[in-house]
Amino acid sequence: MKTIKTLFGGLFVAMALSATYAIAQDFPNKPIRIVVPYSPGGGTDAVARIMAQRLTATLGQSVLVENKPGASANIGSEFVARAPADGYTLGMITVEISMMHWAGLTDLKPTNYTPLALMNIDPAAVTVRADSPYKTVNDLLAAIKANPGKFKASGTGQGGIWHLALAGMLKDQKMELSAAPWVPSNGAAPAMNDLAAGGIEFVTCSLPESRALIDAGKARPLTIMANQPSGLYPNVPTLKTATGSNWAIGAWRGIAGPQGLPADVQAKLGA
């Protein structure tokens, strides 16, 4: 009986390895989707669509972007983590996946994914409407300090990276986080639309995410929370230059699959 069990056990393992190898060798033989845990139009969505276009040309299969926003990016992120580990469901994984579990917003951690590539890093910025009376970040900070609770901000979900950017800036200026209430959104694009509509006073997302409204003359950037100015808007001062603050922060974005992607699939997608 032991010999039969050993034989069948070995046969099962061999068949499984053979099937995995065959899948990897044949990969991809159908469309791939990249899940974005934010609304269309934001920075993460833009990066995903650029990569989908490039991957389609490289892999010879359609690579489609699917937006699954909500719950501070946890809906889309969980969808990717729970997907079959076959390489056909990938996700844009952002810095929030290393943050949210500390706030008790999710059980997801980086270990729930197979990392494939880091895509980019964007520093936070502060952007107001074009008709805002605040011409500099110092003007805005002084107004917030004089009127705590009056000025609302947004840029992403509760506890997300752009919320953390605001928190650090306020703390560095000796203000409570409640001085500028946060209005959660499903990403930078909805937040910028809310800014243009007058629902909030400023946004702390990255400059590429606010670029459309800045270039349209509907928004004005005041500062960037980085060690050096942006190549996109070199005249926008850093927070250190404007206020003397050393607070700098940004969002990284990468592409990952569910935990346990086969090694050959990892190698092909990673390349």
Side-chain angles (χ1 to χ4, degrees):
M1 180 64 72
K2 182 176 180 181
T3 303
I4 293 174
K5 284 184 177 178
T6 303
L7 175 64
F8 274 94
L11 182 61
F12 177 78
V13 170
M15 289 172 64
L17 289 173
S18 177
T20 299
Y21 180 76
I23 290 171
Q25 286 292 97
D26 197 32
F27 178 85
N29 58 22
K30 62 181 181 180
I32 295 171
R33 61 179 164 181
I34 299 178
V35 174
V36 176
Y38 299 100
S39 297
T44 305
D45 180 69
V47 172
R49 292 181 189 280
I50 292 169
M51 292 310 302
Q53 184 182 36
R54 300 292 201 277
L55 287 169
T56 294
T58 302
L59 296 173
Q61 284 287 347
S62 295
V63 179
L64 310 171
V65 173
E66 187 173 331
N67 298 86
K68 289 186 177 293
S72 297
N74 285 317
I75 290 176
S77 299
E78 180 146 357
F79 184 88
V80 175
R82 308 292 180 239
D86 55 12
Y88 290 100
T89 298
L90 308 177
M92 291 299 299
I93 304 302
T94 64
V95 62
E96 279 85 1
I97 208 63
S98 63
M99 297 163 46
M100 293 299 191
H101 63 280
W102 295 113
L105 297 174
T106 181
D107 292 328
L108 295 174
K109 298 178 182 178
T111 51
N112 292 107
Y113 302 91
T114 300
L116 296 170
L118 179 67
M119 294 290 101
N120 74 329
I121 300 175
D122 281 336
V126 175
T127 302
V128 296
R129 282 189 304 281
D131 62 357
S132 169
Y134 309 107
K135 306 301 182 183
T136 70
V137 69
N138 285 315
D139 293 341
L140 178 64
L141 289 170
I144 294 171
K145 187 172 288 188
N147 303 276
K150 178 182 176 182
F151 294 82
K152 298 187 291 295
S154 188
T156 188
Q158 184 80 15
I161 189 66
W162 304 140
H163 191 191
L164 184 59
L166 170 65
M169 182 177 71
L170 293 177
K171 182 179 179 182
D172 200 61
Q173 297 298 313
K174 306 296 187 291
M175 284 188 271
E176 297 293 327
L177 184 54
S178 58
W182 188 254
V183 179
S185 70
N186 283 327
M192 288 302 299
N193 289 336
D194 198 12
L195 177 72
I200 54 177
E201 280 68 45
F202 65 103
V203 170
T204 52
C205 71
S206 69
L207 289 175
E209 291 174 313
S210 54
R211 181 179 185 177
L213 289 183
I214 293 172
D215 290 354
K218 296 180 179 180
R220 184 173 67 251
L222 300 183
T223 189
I224 182 171
M225 301 181 202
N227 295 322
Q228 56 189 6
S230 163
L232 189 60
Y233 299 105
N235 294 327
V236 176
T238 66
L239 191 63
K240 183 175 180 63
T241 299
T243 69
S245 170
N246 287 315
W247 176 248
I249 192 171
W252 58 256
R253 303 180 183 94
I255 292 184
Q259 185 184 48
L261 280 186
D264 286 358
V265 172
Q266 287 185 53
K268 190 161 191 177
L269 288 171

